[in-house]
Amino acid sequence: MTITLDSLQPALSVRQVLTLERVLAGEPEVVAGASHLDRPVRWVHVAEAADVGVMLTGGEMVLTTGVLLAGDEDKQAEYVRSLHRAEAAAVVLGLGRAFPAAPDVMRRAAERCGLPMVVLHRPFPFAELTEEVQSRLVRRKFAAVSLSEAVRTELTALITAGAPLQRLLDEVARHSGCPVVVTNLAHRVLGTAGERPAVDDVLRDWERIARQAGGTEGDGWIRAELGGRGERWGRIVLCGYRGDTATGRLLADRAAEALVLHRMLGGGAACSWEEQSAQSLLTDLVSGVVPARQLLPRARAAGLPVNRRTFVPLVVRDGDPARLERLLRLLGLPGLVAELADGATAVLLSLPRDQDAGALAAHFATRLRTETGPDHTVVAAAEPRAAWDDVPTGLREAQHVADAVADSSTVLDLPPVVRLKDVHLRGLVRLLRDDPHVQSFAERELDGLLRDTDEDLLSVLRTYLATGRNKSRTAQLHHVSRPALYRRLESIQVRLGVDLDDFEQAASVHIALLAHDAQQQ
């Protein structure tokens, strides 16, 4: 997009001009067009001729004594109509010898045209008003140009340094002092910035606000389109900007330039921003740092249906987020997808309450495992949640289940959707792995092996217990003879001070080993 200096020229409103100290000295009175005092004043011009409109380009506050209009009502009416046609901001008439009072013809014509008309009851040097307004406009224009370059420089530096989208939006919000929202063309929120309570207020009623922001700008709602080469793919909106409109538009345009450049240099598509938005939301849900209720506006604005829904929290191991997104669209399942740490991807389904959530989750998992192969993908799930506030707990439960089956060798023996009941003792240990008592128990039970860090003996012990203490199977899996295995098992028992033929002692060591392995991941 191209921004010219003319478009960067902030204006004073008619109302602001009338509050200037020098103008107040002339005792101004608004006699017509009082509802249009917020019109911007781009310049001040002194003119007496009836055809003054040909000298104007729009936005001028025209000053006149009316000396060439006195006694001719047709000229007076035409003077006002000419200003209206030229889109002047206002007309200011200095009362005196030509007009001791506001002429009715001019006043009525101005009212019909919606043109603010102001009379000055005290003699007033027009030169002083012109100087005052022009100097203020020049200063504002200079400040706007300086701001433009400062914003451009800061955003460009961030992009060059590889800053993420959120960092750019935070900088725009800092300059604008209001919430900033980036959306795609369907009004789905891709990113936000600003004071969290103010942002949440905007997102809480985003559907209505988005329609309003897509129309005529007003009340500080300023937008700029995102796109290039004749294609639009989103927009940035300053929500409730309190400065003058021209400066706000400047900020929005500069921000749009930076976001387009950010996308181009990143080589990604707009959907990558959608993924970042979903990742931020689901990460906050999983962490529990932000209460779920506070995240509800973000979920709604991100396009997730939240009213009267059943939520199914899933965590997919070794699943490609892009593939999961495509599969959701193919199956017509509303949901969000976000990559978590350690090769896990969270999927939050939002289903109508009259649908079978378990069956749909199983169908999704079956289709996914058909595409990727059953030995490559694990779909872990928590029980469906009817309340949004319960979603964070559900996501954490699904993550624990996915962790419990992280060993790919167990995938073939599991159902398409793995739940907590399917992982039995291993799942319980995973849930409790961060408990200090469990950690202390594992270290105490395995101390004899952990002290010497003998990985070979630990591996033999792990296999022996996992196979139900089957010596033949253990020897086969470790490619050793049975006598060699017996010697290793004897060494393990001596070091641990246990009898592995005793069920209770073997179970205690097994639980400790599961806890130890869980803590290492």
Side-chain angles (χ1 to χ4, degrees), residues 17 56 355 389 403 443 475:
V17 171
L56 308 179
Q355 293 186 352
D389 287 345
D403 287 343
E443 291 176 3

Side-chain angles (χ1 to χ4, degrees), residues 445 465 469 493 496-511:
E445 289 289 299
L465 295 173
R469 295 182 292 169
Q493 292 182 106
L496 296 183
V498 299
D499 178 5
L500 292 179
D501 290 329
D502 181 89
F503 176 79
E504 184 175 338
Q505 293 183 53
S508 180
V509 172
H510 193 185
I511 294 171

Side-chain angles (χ1 to χ4, degrees), residues 187-418:
H187 304 305
R188 179 174 174 178
V189 174
L190 308 181
T192 64
E195 294 292 332
R196 195 73 253 169
V199 172
D200 288 344
D201 286 342
V202 169
L203 296 185
R204 196 166 288 114
D205 196 20
W206 178 250
E207 187 174 341
R208 179 187 62 81
I209 289 174
R211 289 195 299 268
Q212 182 184 68
T216 304
E217 293 180 352
D219 296 328
W221 293 84
I222 300 172
R223 71 187 187 281
E225 302 299 325
L226 303 176
R229 300 177 182 176
E231 179 185 4
R232 293 188 302 113
W233 41 265
R235 59 177 56 90
I236 181 169
V237 185
L238 306 187
C239 307
Y241 179 71
R242 294 307 175 198
D244 62 81
T245 301
T247 302
R249 193 171 294 116
L250 157 69
L251 282 170
D253 287 342
R254 282 290 183 253
E257 283 182 338
L259 296 186
V260 171
L261 179 61
H262 182 274
R263 179 189 174 189
M264 290 173 57
L265 293 181
C271 65
S272 66
W273 288 1
E274 294 178 356
E275 292 166 3
Q276 291 178 39
S277 175
Q279 183 171 10
S280 173
L281 173 60
L282 291 185
T283 299
D284 285 346
L285 279 169
V286 171
S287 70
V289 174
V290 182
R293 182 58 51 182
Q294 293 183 22
L295 296 173
L296 188 58
R298 286 171 59 188
R300 184 183 290 112
L304 186 73
V306 295
N307 294 329
R308 296 183 296 279
R309 310 292 286 191
T310 297
F311 302 101
V312 183
L314 306 174
V315 171
V316 181
R317 275 283 174 191
D318 301 322
D320 175 30
R323 182 193 294 273
L324 298 176
E325 283 273 13
R326 288 194 299 270
L327 184 56
L328 287 182
R329 289 195 295 269
L330 179 65
L331 299 178
L333 297 176
L336 296 178
V337 177
E339 189 171 6
L340 303 177
D342 301 325
T345 302
V347 179
L348 179 60
L349 302 181
S350 175
L351 307 174
R353 289 185 176 175
D354 59 355
Q355 293 186 352
D356 188 335
L360 288 174
H363 181 51
F364 168 77
T366 301
R367 284 290 299 270
L368 180 61
R369 295 184 71 178
T370 299
E371 291 183 9
T372 60
D375 57 340
H376 287 93
T377 303
V378 172
V379 179
E383 292 303 316
R385 262 54 178 180
W388 173 258
D389 287 345
D390 295 332
V391 168
T393 303
L395 284 168
R396 288 193 289 273
E397 180 182 315
Q399 191 171 27
H400 283 304
V401 173
D403 287 343
V405 291
D407 182 359
S408 61
S409 64
T410 65
V411 175
L412 288 170
D413 301 325
L414 295 171
V417 178
V418 188

Side-chain angles (χ1 to χ4, degrees), residues 4 162 385 472:
T4 65
R385 262 54 178 180
S472 297

